[in-house]
């Protein structure tokens, strides 16, 4: 998984949570409770969702830059510095593994295939609104506006989007396991990758978007300086599961708004559309 190029300001406050979130590779082949939809009432599932998809099929369905306005989507690279499979992610409490896997971009369950991408609010779109004058020609107000624009661009929300496919009832069972993990791991857990332990002190259910056949959302608080909070959503589309894990540098720069952000709704909407 490619390491993010994080801006220096505020980086110290989130490095511990990122140490787990970014120690991942890509070759691994809510509401306050789960929000589900009755399969019969919803009608026949789309063919792409109902079947067990291969990695190549998932590659065609996962979100790309052209699919969502205002975001840049990159492929993730593998590196010896990061974990290349779920086997390298150790969790002190077995039932908390599905949550840890979501936070590392791996499939939350025993999948047949999986792929992931890194999506970031496009900093060029925000920067384009900045004044083009030289610094010495700016008024104090223009200077402040320019600095705010730069800060916003550097502090945009980054989301790890992943798709995983399952055989039989694997997808439904995975959602059940994840729901149980959110409920049972409220007091936190410790995950270790590449001999780097990361402690999380709280897991809380949040309101999910309701996309897919069933969906859930949760927030995880790291046990580190500033107690950074990260947000995730997971949605099942037939035999395919989409996971979204978001982290915001901008939120961490302001302790009063440390959790005042969420998984971008536009990303969820765009990925849901591609899944049919």
């Amino acid at each position: 998984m490619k390491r993010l190029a994080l801006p220096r300001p505020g980086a110290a406050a989130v490095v511990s949570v990122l140490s787990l979130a970014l120690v991942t590779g890509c070759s691994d082949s809510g509401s306050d409770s789960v929000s589900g939809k009755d399969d019969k009432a919803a009608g026949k599932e789309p063919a792409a969702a109902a079947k067990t998809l291969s990695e190549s099929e998932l590659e065609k369905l996962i979100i790309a830059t052209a699919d969502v306005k205002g975001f840049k989507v990159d492929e993730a690279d593998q590196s010896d510095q990061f974990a290349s499979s779920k086997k390298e992610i150790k969790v002190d409490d077995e039932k908390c593994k599905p949550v840890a896997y979501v936070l590392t971009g791996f499939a939350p369950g025993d999948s047949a295939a999986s792929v992931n991408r890194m999506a970031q609010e496009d900093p060029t779109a925000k920067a384009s609104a900045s004044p083009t004058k030289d610094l010495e020609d700016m008024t104090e107000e223009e200077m402040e506006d320019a600095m705010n624009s730069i800060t916003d661009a550097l502090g945009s929300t980054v989301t790890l989007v992943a798709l995983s496919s399952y055989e039989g009832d694997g997808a439904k069972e995975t959602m059940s396991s994840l729901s149980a993990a959110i409920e049972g791991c409220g007091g936190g857990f410790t995950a270790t990758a590449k001999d780097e332990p990361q402690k999380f002190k709280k897991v809380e259910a949040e309101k999910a978007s309701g996309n897919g056949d069933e969906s859930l959302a949760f927030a995880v608080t790291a046990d580190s300086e500033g107690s950074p909070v990260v947000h995730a959503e997971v949605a099942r589309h037939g035999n395919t599961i989409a996971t979204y894990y978001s982290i915001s540098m901008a939120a961490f720069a302001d302790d009063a708004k440390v959790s005042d952000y969420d998984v971008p709704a536009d990303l969820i909407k765009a990925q849901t559309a591609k899944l049919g």
Side-chain angles (χ1 to χ4, degrees):
M1 175 68 64
K2 180 169 58 181
R3 180 182 291 276
L4 291 177
L6 294 174
R8 292 291 181 183
V14 295
V15 67
S16 60
V17 75
L18 285 172
S19 68
L20 176 62
L22 300 180
V23 287
T24 173
C26 310
S27 60
D28 188 61
S29 290
S31 58
D32 291 341
S33 60
V34 173
S35 171
K37 297 179 181 178
D38 185 89
D39 289 341
K40 293 181 179 179
K44 186 178 180 180
E45 295 174 337
K51 64 179 293 190
T52 301
L53 302 177
S54 65
E55 183 175 332
S56 62
E57 289 173 315
L58 291 176
E59 288 281 359
K60 296 176 181 178
L61 290 173
I62 197 163
I63 197 170
T65 299
D67 299 319
V68 57
K69 184 178 181 180
F71 287 82
K72 180 176 174 56
V73 181
D74 290 317
E75 291 189 8
D77 298 325
Q78 290 189 21
S79 169
D80 291 338
Q81 187 176 1
F82 306 125
S84 59
S85 74
K86 290 195 290 190
K87 294 179 180 180
E88 297 181 40
I89 306 294
K90 307 300 181 183
V91 184
D92 65 343
D93 191 333
E94 185 77 15
K95 69 175 176 290
C96 301
K97 282 185 175 181
V99 170
Y101 293 151
V102 171
L103 300 186
T104 50
F106 288 117
D110 187 12
S111 66
S114 63
V115 298
N116 62 18
R117 295 289 186 273
M118 198 68 84
Q120 183 174 15
E121 291 177 284
D122 190 352
T124 60
K126 294 185 176 183
S128 64
S130 302
T132 56
K133 292 182 181 179
D134 292 332
L135 291 178
E136 58 268 23
D137 296 328
M138 290 183 185
T139 65
E140 184 175 340
E141 184 177 355
E142 288 174 334
M143 178 79 75
E144 183 177 353
D145 288 343
M147 292 304 295
N148 287 338
S149 178
I150 292 172
T151 299
D152 287 344
L154 293 176
S156 59
T157 299
V158 177
T159 302
L160 188 59
V161 183
L163 295 181
S164 52
S165 63
Y166 300 79
E167 297 177 345
D169 291 329
K172 292 181 180 179
E173 293 170 354
T174 294
M175 294 296 289
S176 294
S177 295
L178 186 54
S179 179
I182 294 170
E183 182 178 354
C185 301
F189 62 93
T190 298
T192 303
K194 292 292 184 179
D195 298 320
E196 291 291 337
Q198 170 60 56
K199 186 176 181 180
F200 296 93
K201 65 182 182 181
K202 186 188 300 183
V203 179
E204 297 178 283
E206 295 191 311
K207 183 176 177 59
S209 66
N211 284 285
D213 299 302
E214 54 181 320
S215 62
L216 54 85
F218 59 93
V220 179
T221 304
D223 186 14
S224 58
E225 181 183 355
S227 297
V229 178
V230 297
H231 299 272
E233 175 150 347
V234 181
R236 181 178 68 82
H237 303 261
N239 286 345
T240 299
I241 289 179
T243 67
Y244 311 86
Y245 160 58
S246 294
I247 186 168
S248 171
M249 288 292 291
F252 295 148
D254 184 348
D255 290 341
K257 298 180 179 179
V258 71
S259 60
D260 189 19
Y261 74 99
D262 210 336
V263 178
D266 287 347
L267 280 180
I268 298 176
K269 182 178 179 180
Q271 183 59 81
T272 298
K274 290 201 72 171
L275 290 170

